[in-house]
Amino acid sequence: DAGVIQSPRHEVTEMGQEVTLRCKPISGHDYLFWYRQTMMRGLELLIYFNNNVPIDDSGMPEDRFSAKMPNASFSTLKIQPSEPRDSAVYFCASRRRGARDTQYFGPGTRLTVL
Amino acid sequence: DQQVKQNSPSLSVQEGRISILNCDYTNSMFDYFLWYKKYPAEGPTFLISISSIKDKNEDGRFTVFLNKSAKHLSLHIVPSQPGDSAVYFCAARYQGAQKLVFGQGTRLTINP
């Protein structure tokens, strides 16, 4: 199994630009989670999906952030327009229904907004 | 409002000694707690967990202790090895919920 795949691994962009982060979850997993990691707040949940449907987006910081999951094997997190305070590492994780312990994380995308 | 707090950003321990990582939480509705380990340039990986009905769970060199009255849990690593050097995240889950609430993480360094 390839694990959770995220792209790009690194993204450097300028303030005001649109950024799209991509995630391919593990095949057969029902849940997909998007997290952001910062020094101050650690790992914060932004949004999660169950069977491609967004269930809880209360962690999305503001309207500049949006996430979609058009099918079971692909999800995107978009920031438009990006700001320097969005600089962080963004992780995608997936989990199989019933496996309460184990969320499998991708390697993350390090985003730098100049 | 940080519901799960790891107050020590970093910890340095001698190889072979015990490492103790601490975590405090504020919400008594949490019923399940987990520790994740993260190496640089990798995503976090699950390490060990404990249900609120227990006060201890052991897995090899790793033991998690839960003190519900103090809303405190700790991860003990004995003996500590250089490969244990990583960032450790504490996480908690509400009863019946799917999402996890993570702490800020503690960077553990094991010195040879």
Side-chain angles (χ1 to χ4, degrees), chain A residues 15-32:
Chain A
M15 182 174 65
Q17 296 297 307
E18 177 180 297
V19 174
T20 299
L21 311 181
R22 297 172 176 79
C23 175
K24 177 179 169 53
I26 293 173
S27 176
H29 282 195
D30 305 277
Y31 290 89
L32 184 139

Side-chain angles (χ1 to χ4, degrees), chain A:
Chain A
D1 199 327
V4 176
I5 299 172
Q6 291 188 248
S7 64
R9 294 294 309 274
H10 302 273
E11 176 80 30
V12 180
T13 190
E14 292 188 347
M15 182 174 65
Q17 296 297 307
E18 177 180 297
V19 174
T20 299
L21 311 181
R22 297 172 176 79
C23 175
K24 177 179 169 53
I26 293 173
S27 176
H29 282 195
D30 305 277
Y31 290 89
L32 184 139
F33 305 82
W34 280 102
Y35 290 90
R36 178 171 66 177
Q37 182 192 3
T38 60
M39 288 294 291
M40 288 298 295
R41 300 184 64 85
L43 273 169
E44 296 178 278
L45 177 68
L46 300 176
I47 185 171
Y48 80 92
F49 296 82
N50 180 22
N51 292 326
N52 314 337
V53 177
I55 302 301
D56 185 344
D57 65 354
S58 59
M60 296 286 260
E62 44 198 279
D63 292 345
R64 297 185 297 106
F65 285 70
S66 62
K68 294 182 180 180
M69 192 164 185
N71 57 61
S73 59
F74 184 66
S75 177
T76 59
L77 178 67
K78 185 178 293 186
I79 308 173
Q80 165 64 16
S82 58
E83 296 182 2
R85 60 191 167 123
D86 302 331
S87 298
V89 181
Y90 291 81
F91 289 100
C92 175
S94 69
R95 179 171 67 80
R96 186 172 44 83
R97 181 162 47 97
R100 67 175 177 174
D101 289 357
T102 310
Q103 289 186 18
Y104 291 87
F105 282 78
T109 295
R110 181 174 293 278
L111 173 65
T112 302
V113 183
L114 302 174

Side-chain angles (χ1 to χ4, degrees), chain B residues 15-31:
Chain B
E15 182 179 359
R17 306 294 292 269
I18 183 171
S19 294
I20 300 176
L21 295 97
N22 293 304
C23 177
D24 297 296
Y25 61 96
T26 58
N27 198 320
S28 58
M29 297 301 291
F30 288 137
D31 75 334

Side-chain angles (χ1 to χ4, degrees), chain B:
Chain B
D1 180 26
Q2 200 78 17
Q3 297 187 70
V4 178
K5 297 179 183 178
Q6 295 176 255
N7 293 316
S8 298
S10 62
L11 177 67
S12 186
V13 174
Q14 198 80 12
E15 182 179 359
R17 306 294 292 269
I18 183 171
S19 294
I20 300 176
L21 295 97
N22 293 304
C23 177
D24 297 296
Y25 61 96
T26 58
N27 198 320
S28 58
M29 297 301 291
F30 288 137
D31 75 334
Y32 201 73
F33 303 89
L34 307 89
W35 284 93
Y36 278 76
K37 177 179 180 179
K38 183 187 177 305
Y39 291 119
E42 296 183 11
T45 55
F46 170 73
L47 186 58
I48 192 169
S49 62
I50 188 167
S51 167
S52 61
I53 62 174
K54 295 185 175 181
D55 54 18
K56 178 182 173 181
N57 188 27
E58 238 176 308
D59 183 3
R61 295 186 298 114
F62 302 90
T63 303
V64 56
F65 295 92
L66 176 62
N67 182 334
K68 289 187 290 294
S69 61
K71 294 190 177 67
H72 177 84
L73 67 156
S74 60
L75 174 68
H76 291 211
I77 307 173
V78 183
S80 301
Q81 299 174 355
D84 297 330
S85 295
V87 176
Y88 290 79
F89 289 97
C90 170
R93 196 198 65 187
Y94 293 102
Q95 184 178 12
Q98 301 299 329
K99 66 182 185 181
L100 299 177
V101 180
F102 282 85
Q104 306 95 311
T106 297
R107 181 178 300 279
L108 175 65
T109 302
I110 305 302
N111 302 308

